[in-house]
Amino acid sequence: MKEKLQSIREEALRAIAAADAPESLNDVRVKYLGKKGGLTAVLKSMKDVAPEDRPKVGQMVNETREIIEKAMEETKEKMARALRRERMKKEVIDVTLPSKKNMVGHRHPNTIALEEVERIFIGMGYEVVEGPDVEYDLYNFEKLNIPADHPAKDEQDTFYINKDIVLRTQTSPVQARVMEQGKLPIRMIAPGRVFRSDEVDATHSPSFHQVEGLVVDKNISFADLKGTLEVFAKELFGPDTKTKFRPHHFPFTEPSAEVDVSCFKCGGKGCRFCKGSGWIEILGCGAVHPHVLEMCGIDSEEYTGFAFGMGLERIALLKYEIDDMRLLYENDIRFLRQF
């Protein structure tokens, strides 16, 4: 029995010394110390040992187990240290290298301008409403008093999906959809992307953004429109800003007007920015046409309203004194980081 234990110990120590990974070391443990291992087999054969020799054989088995376990523990620690050293070599950090700058993005000029416009109108009690970019001709034109033969349909250079579906040319369809719901009174603005078949230049793009507003209630007059837009202009361009209304024509409003603000660069004296006129055009507006109200199911005898619309890019160009709309979409980080 002594010779057998000696043989098991020597074989186990050789196997431990030859192990080159934790997995192979575990295989040695199973082979010699597991339930079906060599030492376990010796313990099972104790019934064949004379009773007076059993304590001595049991002690020899325990000593052999301790020797094997100690050798395995030492080898395991050596392996762990070696693996740690290897990992540290691979993961070494050169603290003398310059740090990597964390490039954090920020809001686009269009987004900054839109948030400013929304802040102003929300402060006046307006709701922000959005609608689909792909719209029915019914909402994009007909419900806005632009029938099939109206010249405005040609002027807007529409992208048609088919004869009944278009890429919206304005955000006014959102106003028609809200009026159609019949929940009065209405105080809303509708920001969003619109599409027109325009050539790309410094002031035009086939895809741009608008912000349109609508108020419908009892006893709403053109004076309410003028007061609202005057407050808006002063909030956006400064408290000394003046407004001027010029007669115009839009199919969905009557009367209609275009709105100018006094040049916030020269104070109205005339400069390169306002082309010497002292005034800058910012939006179109008017009293909601009675026919538009009726087509959306609102009694034009009881309710009146006003509407206005502005190009978001134009607001951004004016506010930040940018002279070319294309700069907003070229994604040149040197330009965008200025904002």
Side-chain angles (χ1 to χ4, degrees):
M1 186 66 72
K2 182 177 179 181
E3 290 77 11
K4 188 173 182 179
L5 289 172
Q6 179 72 22
S7 175
I8 291 173
R9 184 173 68 220
E10 291 176 356
E11 287 180 12
L13 293 177
R14 282 196 298 270
I16 291 170
D20 56 356
E23 292 77 11
S24 56
L25 194 63
N26 187 59
D27 292 339
V28 175
R29 182 188 64 78
V30 172
K31 181 177 180 180
Y32 294 98
L33 304 180
K35 290 182 178 180
K36 297 180 180 180
L39 278 180
T40 305
V42 172
L43 287 173
K44 288 180 179 179
S45 65
M46 288 282 284
K47 62 181 183 296
D48 300 328
V49 178
E52 63 274 12
D53 294 332
R54 287 177 185 174
K56 187 177 180 180
V57 173
Q59 184 180 357
M60 291 169 62
V61 170
N62 289 334
E63 288 175 353
T64 302
R65 178 184 291 276
E66 289 175 2
I67 292 170
I68 294 173
E69 287 180 344
K70 184 179 179 182
M72 290 185 66
E73 190 63 31
E74 290 175 352
T75 303
K76 185 178 179 181
E77 289 179 4
K78 287 179 182 178
M79 287 181 177
R81 287 196 297 268
L83 289 172
R84 187 162 55 248
R85 283 196 301 269
E86 190 65 28
R87 188 168 64 250
M88 289 178 69
K89 286 180 183 178
K90 292 179 180 179
E91 298 177 357
V92 65
I93 299 173
D94 187 350
V95 295
T96 65
L97 288 174
S99 63
K100 292 181 180 179
K101 187 175 181 180
N102 188 16
M103 298 294 289
V104 179
H106 58 83
R107 296 172 299 168
H108 190 275
N110 270 359
T111 303
I112 299 172
L114 176 59
E115 289 178 353
E116 180 73 3
V117 171
E118 288 181 345
R119 181 191 64 80
I120 294 169
F121 282 106
I122 289 173
M124 290 192 282
Y126 285 62
E127 179 185 7
V128 178
V129 184
E130 295 182 349
D133 290 353
V134 181
E135 187 57 275
Y136 289 106
D137 182 278
L138 173 68
Y139 290 102
N140 197 76
F141 291 119
E142 289 188 33
K143 283 187 177 288
L144 300 176
N145 205 28
I146 307 177
D149 57 350
H150 199 285
K153 295 188 76 168
D154 298 326
E155 292 172 5
Q156 293 192 9
D157 296 325
T158 310
F159 289 108
Y160 279 87
I161 306 299
N162 57 43
K163 67 182 183 66
D164 297 319
I165 300 175
V166 302
L167 298 183
R168 66 179 179 184
T169 59
Q170 56 211 356
T171 53
S172 301
V174 182
Q175 300 174 349
R177 287 177 175 273
V178 171
M179 284 191 287
E180 197 176 59
Q181 294 173 8
K183 297 178 181 178
L184 300 169
I186 298 169
R187 287 175 179 80
M188 59 160 282
I189 59 171
R193 186 185 295 271
V194 299
F195 307 87
R196 296 185 188 181
S197 183
D198 288 334
E199 294 292 332
V200 177
D201 59 29
T203 57
H204 296 85
S205 170
S207 176
F208 56 101
H209 298 79
Q210 283 188 344
V211 181
E212 300 199 24
L214 173 70
V215 170
V216 178
D217 203 348
K218 295 179 180 179
N219 303 316
I220 295 294
S221 69
F222 205 89
D224 297 310
L225 170 61
K226 294 184 71 175
T228 298
L229 294 182
E230 184 175 347
V231 171
F232 167 69
K234 289 181 182 294
E235 285 287 328
L236 189 63
F237 298 113
D240 297 327
T241 304
K242 296 180 176 62
T243 56
K244 179 174 69 173
F245 288 70
R246 292 180 286 106
H248 196 67
H249 169 72
F250 298 111
F252 31 84
T253 54
E254 181 60 39
S256 305
E258 286 189 335
V259 180
D260 300 338
V261 295
S262 56
C263 180
F264 43 86
K265 189 75 172 174
C266 65
K269 297 176 182 178
C271 65
R272 181 192 66 81
F273 196 67
C274 61
K275 299 178 181 178
S277 69
W279 296 92
I280 301 172
E281 179 186 331
I282 60 166
L283 55 82
C285 64
V288 179
H289 199 293
H291 190 211
V292 172
L293 293 173
E294 294 291 345
M295 283 192 294
C296 293
I298 297 174
D299 185 356
S300 61
E301 296 293 328
E302 185 177 3
Y303 288 92
T304 53
F306 64 77
F308 55 87
M310 68 195 83
L312 180 62
E313 282 81 359
R314 180 163 182 77
I315 296 298
L317 294 179
L318 292 173
K319 192 170 181 62
Y320 299 112
E321 300 182 27
I322 303 169
D323 57 8
D324 194 325
M325 180 177 171
R326 289 170 291 192
L327 291 169
L328 295 173
Y329 297 110
E330 290 177 349
N331 293 327
D332 189 327
I333 193 67
R334 296 170 299 176
F335 169 77
L336 294 175
R337 66 158 56 104
Q338 298 177 70
F339 306 95

